């Protein structure tokens, strides 16, 4: 009630709308949370930060509006100073919401239209492993290794082989990772 009063009195509108959005998230009112978060951003002058886009994408994803989520995630990625960190944050959101197909579509869209670092591909593959999308993750790791063999990619392949109980493949891939990065004790 205090927040509604603050909104009606036009005091601290941005803060009040942000708090209302958080309360509505807890109340499982995704649509209401989106409305209030968007209003908060309007009162802040229209400059939407990368973090705001990512948060708005999270709200849309939680409200089962995957396409709207993807639009804001891409805007957050494109406006971020640290694209790898933003991509990792977005990947974590998809992982935490268990949206494997939506994440795969987001990854395909963004990796085709933007330059991705090997680290971003590895982040995507790890997320897909967490989402139990082993074939998709394997494909990413194998594509990376075709271009330039990477210890992390071989280690990812070893993790998938371990999950699938393919011990020979696991051993082979972890050995390849160790050869490429002998100082990494995790691989040993």
């Amino acid at each position: 009630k205090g927040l509604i009063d603050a909104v009606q009195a036009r005091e601290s509108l941005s803060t009040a709308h942000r708090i209302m959005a958080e309360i509505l998230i807890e109340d499982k009112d995704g649509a209401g949370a989106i409305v209030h978060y968007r209003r908060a951003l309007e009162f802040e002058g229209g400059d939407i930060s990368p973090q705001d886009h990512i948060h708005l994408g999270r709200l849309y994803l939680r409200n089962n509006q995957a396409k709207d989520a993807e639009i804001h995630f891409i805007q957050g990625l494109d406006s971020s100073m640290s694209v790898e960190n933003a991509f990792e944050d977005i990947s974590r959101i998809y992982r935490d919401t268990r949206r494997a197909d939506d994440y795969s579509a987001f990854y395909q869209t963004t990796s085709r239209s933007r330059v991705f670092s090997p680290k971003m591909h590895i982040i995507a593959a790890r997320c897909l492993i967490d989402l139990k999308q082993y074939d998709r993750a394997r494909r990413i790791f194998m594509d990376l290794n075709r271009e330039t063999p990477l210890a992390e990619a071989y280690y990812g392949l070893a993790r998938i082989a371990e999950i699938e109980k393919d011990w020979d493949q696991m051993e082979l891939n972890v050995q390849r990772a160790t050869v490429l990065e002998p100082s990494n004790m995790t691989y040993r």
Side-chain angles (χ1 to χ4, degrees), residues 53-144:
H53 278 297
I54 292 170
H55 186 67
L56 199 49
R58 176 190 342 248
L59 294 177
Y60 277 115
L61 197 60
R62 284 184 179 168
N63 202 43
N64 296 316
Q65 293 173 265
K67 284 295 177 197
D68 292 321
E70 186 174 298
I71 290 167
H72 284 283
F73 286 147
I74 289 171
Q75 289 174 334
L77 242 157
D78 289 345
S79 60
S80 178
M81 295 295 285
S82 176
V83 177
E84 288 176 344
N85 289 343
F87 184 74
E88 190 163 22
D89 291 344
I90 293 164
S91 297
R92 200 173 301 118
I93 292 166
Y94 278 106
R95 184 198 65 212
D96 293 347
T97 56
R98 311 303 299 164
R99 305 293 291 255
D101 291 335
D102 293 330
Y103 180 68
S104 188
F106 168 75
Y107 169 72
Q108 292 299 323
T109 299
T110 55
S111 66
R112 282 190 200 128
S113 59
R114 286 155 186 77
V115 176
F116 262 40
S117 68
K119 180 179 178 181
M120 292 170 75
H121 290 292
I122 287 171
I123 290 166
R126 285 180 182 162
C127 181
L128 288 167
I129 289 172
D130 292 341
L131 292 169
K132 298 181 181 358
Q133 300 294 307
Y134 306 122
D135 289 336
R136 290 174 178 169
R138 183 183 296 111
R139 208 171 13 253
I140 293 169
F141 287 135
M142 291 174 77
D143 288 345
L144 279 170

Side-chain angles (χ1 to χ4, degrees), residues 143-162:
D143 288 345
L144 279 170
N145 283 335
R146 242 181 256 115
E147 288 181 33
T148 305
L150 297 169
E152 284 184 273
Y154 279 117
Y155 184 68
L157 288 169
R159 283 186 54 213
I160 294 169
E162 180 181 22

Side-chain angles (χ1 to χ4, degrees), residues 3-4 6-8 10-24 32-44 59:
L3 289 170
I4 293 171
V7 168
Q8 289 173 343
R10 298 200 173 279
E11 296 176 16
S12 304
L13 291 175
S14 175
T15 303
H17 280 294
R18 281 183 183 267
I19 293 170
M20 276 297 288
E22 293 304 314
I23 290 170
L24 292 171
I34 291 167
V35 167
H36 281 282
Y37 197 78
R38 290 186 72 84
R39 285 187 184 154
L41 296 176
E42 289 171 15
F43 287 110
E44 291 174 7
L59 294 177

